[in-house]
Amino acid sequence: MTQRFDRTALFTLARDLLTGAGLEKAKADIVAELLIQTDEIGVTTHGISMVPYYVPELKAGNMTTTGSHDVIADNKVTMLWDGNYLPGHWVMTQALETCMARAAEFGMAAMAIRRSHHIGCLSALTRIAAMRGYVCYIATSDPSGEWVAPFGGTEPLLTPNPWAVGYPATDHPVLIDTCASITTVSKVREHINTGVPFAHEWMLDNTGHATTDPTVFNTTPKGSILPVGGMDHGHKGFAMGLMVEMLTQALAAHGRVEAPTRWGANVFLQVLDPKAFGGLDAFKAQTDHLNAACRANTPIDAARPVRVPGDRAASARAASASKGVVVVDEVLTRVAACATDAGLTMPTPLS
Amino acid sequence: MTQRFDRTALFTLARDLLTGAGLEKAKADIVAELLIQTDEIGVTTHGISMVPYYVPELKAGNMTTTGSHDVIADNKVTMLWDGNYLPGHWVMTQALETCMARAAEFGMAAMAIRRSHHIGCLSALTRIAAMRGYVCYIATSDPSGEWVAPFGGTEPLLTPNPWAVGYPATDHPVLIDTCASITTVSKVREHINTGVPFAHEWMLDNTGHATTDPTVFNTTPKGSILPVGGMDHGHKGFAMGLMVEMLTQALAAHGRVEAPTRWGANVFLQVLDPKAFGGLDAFKAQTDHLNAACRANTPIDAARPVRVPGDRAASARAASASKGVVVVDEVLTRVAACATDAGLTMPTPLS
């Protein structure tokens, strides 16, 4: 079951919950706006759903409520920032604006960021740059997390290591948003909570056997999530994961060496300007052509035509604009509890 | 069966075969040197093995024998080149040197290249930059090839879309070299030639069923190679493939729109200088730490400890230096035939 809500009402609720937990208003405006934009593109796991997680982090001082990032290095084209555990949506908004301005000047720009707090839905961020004609790559890891074993190993060591790339096409941006493991920590927790095994063997138990059982996460020693490719060709997902940790931690000169123990995000962000290569029109001509060829590809199942990453986000966004923003029941329950705690009234669902 | 040869003897043979087919000496020196370096790191499929494929391409004029690339755009940090179908090893050597010099000056640099000929083993190229302290990313596609269907589709559309990243560590570089499909076109051809099915369902027949049968490549309509993740989570490999085609073709303003029909390579090359982020020592501290943790991870099979990408290349290189360069029998047969055609004598194997 889901309900739809007015986007302004949801934004106001999210913003007020965040400011109520101590976040300064200018930052709460940005975080709330991006969370609602995330819900609008249909990524309900990373939208207003995050507020009940952020509120206790703000109250405990684990998510910084005020101040700014530190610039550790700035070579114009390359930068290194310390996020000081500020809200990731705020840090990434500053980082994106900086990198887009630099890319407009130099053709491209990249930034490593250490010690941001959670940066939310990567597609909601890459989409901002793609809508403005840029190619935008974001990778993130949490050096305090160990959930994925190296291929051939049994002990969790890496995070799922999400990465995303957004880029322009004529109809709407292509939004690739994936990670180096088959599934994610939040999906594993969801399956543990609901008692439902995975449909496929996406987990690895602590003896190195693939399993559908999410509860191997809770054994001692701990099991792990399999890398992309699983038992069959998981060396490919492992390689992807190593690349993300290198970009986000080695370039940031902060990572597993420092063994941080709090929830944090290391980030690598890069923005490229197609105008500085072969031009934006030529760029779109290629992406439009390939996207059309993908969508026209004869599907395995006639009821499920081939989708290009970003197609579902565009549909969800159109539906959000015309009918209101979807909040799924599980999220609604948690957000409502959070609102009650804060003495705030939940908005009324549309229709 | 394999035999080992003196590296200078192999280099001379490769160089003479290439010049004999019309390639000018300065370029043949570079191509032959990189082919032997590829054999030295154990990638026997892409070393001197390629010469019997390059010779007819040179003779037919499909691989350009003389001249240079064209610079289409140069914005210092970003560049676009036309490779004029020159030998890819030569084009990439020029491109790498240019990007390393620019990265040293600006912190990073990237280049899209259209219409190179085959660029060989990506690791042999990224290794050059990694040995000099840089992070080097290379992706390549062939807009004339259609071998991998989009996830959910049945018609081959994309190339396997290899990508590689090499980066510094204290003992030896990490060399990730992978692609967006489970297996490669050359592996499929090898299995067709030997009549051996794949051990796992890595192919997709033209009706959309996964299969171990490599000969689905030869049906009408053609079958395809499954993307990384296969039927289970192939949307992740599909996304990776789209990203490679975007970087190599959309940024290069040349790709499937132009529908080229000859063997060619589009390339995206990027070099980053850790000194322009958090410093090279700090970079290596992180990569050394993670590499050590991977290697110390309790393995599923005690006889097969966890390897970091690049470990096998380092061992192969050490063995090549002390015992000579391995040439496998299948390669030896083809190279010997090529030598006979050219009136050249094969070197004598070592011991």
Side-chain angles (χ1 to χ4, degrees):
Chain A
M1 266 293 292
T2 64
Q3 290 182 298
R4 288 184 182 269
F5 290 86
D6 173 67
R7 77 104 59 206
T8 306
L10 280 185
F11 165 82
T12 305
L13 175 65
R15 197 261 325 268
D16 291 351
L17 285 168
L18 295 167
T19 53
L23 186 59
E24 62 181 26
K25 183 174 171 299
K27 292 188 172 64
D29 279 341
I30 286 171
V31 176
E33 174 59 29
L34 276 166
L35 291 176
I36 306 310
Q37 287 188 17
T38 300
D39 280 317
E40 286 177 321
I41 60 172
V43 187
T44 55
T45 50
H46 285 64
I48 199 166
S49 168
M50 294 309 298
V51 171
Y53 300 118
Y54 292 168
V55 162
E57 287 285 291
L58 287 164
K59 288 183 176 167
N62 293 330
M63 184 187 275
T64 307
T65 56
T66 184
S68 188
H69 58 276
D70 290 321
V71 176
I72 300 175
D74 185 346
N75 301 291
K76 293 182 181 167
V77 175
T78 60
M79 288 152 275
L80 172 57
W81 283 10
D82 188 321
N84 289 324
Y85 292 105
L86 283 155
H89 295 87
W90 182 84
V91 173
M92 289 304 293
T93 300
Q94 313 306 309
L96 265 174
E97 291 298 334
T98 304
C99 283
M100 285 190 287
R102 301 295 176 88
E105 187 174 354
F106 301 105
M108 67 176 184
M111 186 186 288
I113 306 172
R114 58 169 79 154
R115 301 186 340 127
S116 169
H117 205 289
H118 189 246
I119 65 170
C121 168
L122 305 191
S123 280
L125 298 165
T126 59
R127 186 179 171 278
I128 294 169
M131 291 294 290
R132 282 155 71 170
Y134 296 104
V135 176
C136 180
Y137 175 86
I138 300 176
T140 180
S141 68
D142 180 353
S144 78
E146 295 181 330
W147 308 106
V148 179
F151 186 65
T154 56
E155 298 167 286
L157 175 60
L158 309 169
T159 31
N161 292 347
W163 61 273
V165 58
Y167 54 90
T170 299
D171 48 3
H172 54 75
V174 178
L175 299 177
I176 290 167
D177 191 340
T178 184
C179 68
S181 56
I182 302 184
T183 188
T184 61
V185 175
S186 54
K187 280 280 168 200
V188 174
R189 289 189 175 135
E190 187 184 308
H191 279 259
I192 291 173
N193 290 342
T194 56
V196 179
F198 284 108
H200 304 276
E201 291 183 338
W202 291 352
M203 305 292 296
L204 189 71
D205 73 19
N206 62 18
T207 66
H209 293 91
T211 173
T212 60
D213 181 4
T215 67
V216 299
F217 242 32
N218 296 335
T219 58
T220 307
K222 236 173 55 169
S224 57
I225 306 175
L226 279 166
V228 165
M231 299 301 276
D232 186 49
H233 53 284
H235 61 291
K236 300 206 172 196
F238 172 43
M240 215 190 297
L242 284 177
M243 176 172 166
V244 169
E245 300 235 348
M246 177 274 292
L247 291 172
T248 57
Q249 296 175 33
L251 285 178
H254 170 90
R256 298 190 184 279
V257 170
E258 288 71 25
T261 53
R262 67 200 270 192
W263 184 13
N266 274 42
V267 182
F268 178 79
L269 162 66
Q270 179 167 358
V271 175
L272 300 96
D273 186 353
K275 289 197 288 293
F277 291 88
L280 183 56
D281 289 343
F283 183 97
K284 285 186 184 173
Q286 297 292 338
T287 55
D288 289 349
H289 177 90
L290 188 60
N291 291 348
C294 287
R295 294 181 190 120
N297 199 279
T298 304
I300 296 174
D301 174 354
R304 301 180 65 187
V306 172
R307 273 200 322 251
V308 172
D311 287 355
R312 195 159 50 181
S315 307
R317 208 175 145 84
S320 299
S322 63
K323 297 188 282 185
V325 181
V326 164
V327 182
V328 301
D329 278 357
E330 179 273 330
V331 172
L332 198 61
T333 306
R334 287 189 299 104
V335 172
C338 194
T340 303
D341 282 352
L344 294 175
T345 309
M346 286 294 288
T348 311
L350 297 172
S351 69
Chain B
M1 266 293 292
T2 64
Q3 289 181 298
R4 288 184 182 268
F5 290 85
D6 174 68
R7 77 105 59 206
T8 307
L10 280 186
F11 164 81
T12 305
L13 175 65
R15 199 259 327 267
D16 292 351
L17 285 168
L18 295 168
T19 53
L23 185 59
E24 62 181 25
K25 184 173 170 301
K27 292 187 171 64
D29 279 343
I30 286 172
V31 176
E33 174 59 29
L34 276 165
L35 291 175
I36 306 310
Q37 287 188 18
T38 301
D39 279 317
E40 287 177 320
I41 60 173
V43 187
T44 56
T45 49
H46 285 64
I48 198 166
S49 168
M50 294 309 298
V51 172
Y53 299 119
Y54 293 168
V55 163
E57 287 285 292
L58 287 164
K59 287 183 175 168
N62 293 329
M63 184 187 275
T64 307
T65 56
T66 183
S68 186
H69 58 275
D70 290 321
V71 177
I72 300 175
D74 186 345
N75 301 292
K76 293 182 181 166
V77 174
T78 60
M79 289 152 275
L80 172 57
W81 284 9
D82 188 321
N84 289 324
Y85 292 106
L86 283 155
H89 295 86
W90 182 83
V91 173
M92 289 304 293
T93 300
Q94 313 306 308
L96 265 174
E97 290 298 334
T98 303
C99 283
M100 285 190 287
R102 301 295 176 89
E105 187 173 353
F106 300 105
M108 68 174 182
M111 186 186 287
I113 306 172
R114 58 168 81 153
R115 302 187 340 129
S116 170
H117 204 290
H118 188 247
I119 66 170
C121 168
L122 305 191
S123 280
L125 297 165
T126 60
R127 187 180 170 277
I128 293 170
M131 290 294 290
R132 282 155 71 170
Y134 296 105
V135 176
C136 180
Y137 175 87
I138 300 176
T140 181
S141 68
D142 179 354
S144 78
E146 295 181 330
W147 308 106
V148 179
F151 186 65
T154 55
E155 299 167 285
L157 175 61
L158 308 169
T159 32
N161 292 348
W163 61 272
V165 59
Y167 53 90
T170 299
D171 48 3
H172 54 77
V174 178
L175 299 176
I176 290 167
D177 190 340
T178 185
C179 67
S181 56
I182 303 184
T183 188
T184 61
V185 176
S186 54
K187 280 281 169 200
V188 175
R189 289 189 175 135
E190 188 184 308
H191 279 260
I192 291 173
N193 291 340
T194 56
V196 180
F198 283 108
H200 303 277
E201 293 184 336
W202 290 352
M203 305 294 296
L204 189 71
D205 72 19
N206 61 19
T207 65
H209 292 91
T211 173
T212 61
D213 181 3
T215 66
V216 299
F217 242 32
N218 296 334
T219 58
T220 307
K222 237 172 58 170
S224 57
I225 306 175
L226 279 166
V228 164
M231 299 301 276
D232 187 50
H233 53 284
H235 61 291
K236 299 206 172 196
F238 171 43
M240 214 189 298
L242 284 176
M243 175 172 167
V244 170
E245 300 235 347
M246 177 273 292
L247 291 172
T248 57
Q249 296 177 33
L251 285 177
H254 169 90
R256 298 190 184 278
V257 170
E258 287 72 25
T261 53
R262 66 200 270 191
W263 185 14
N266 274 42
V267 182
F268 179 78
L269 162 65
Q270 179 166 352
V271 175
L272 299 97
D273 186 354
K275 288 197 289 291
F277 292 88
L280 183 57
D281 289 344
F283 182 96
K284 285 186 184 173
Q286 297 291 339
T287 56
D288 289 350
H289 177 90
L290 188 59
N291 291 347
C294 287
R295 294 181 189 120
N297 200 278
T298 304
I300 296 174
D301 174 355
R304 302 180 65 186
V306 172
R307 274 200 321 252
V308 172
D311 287 354
R312 193 159 52 180
S315 307
R317 210 177 143 83
S320 299
S322 63
K323 297 189 281 184
V325 182
V326 164
V327 182
V328 301
D329 279 357
E330 180 271 331
V331 172
L332 198 60
T333 306
R334 287 190 299 104
V335 172
C338 194
T340 303
D341 282 352
L344 294 175
T345 309
M346 285 294 288
T348 312
L350 296 172
S351 66

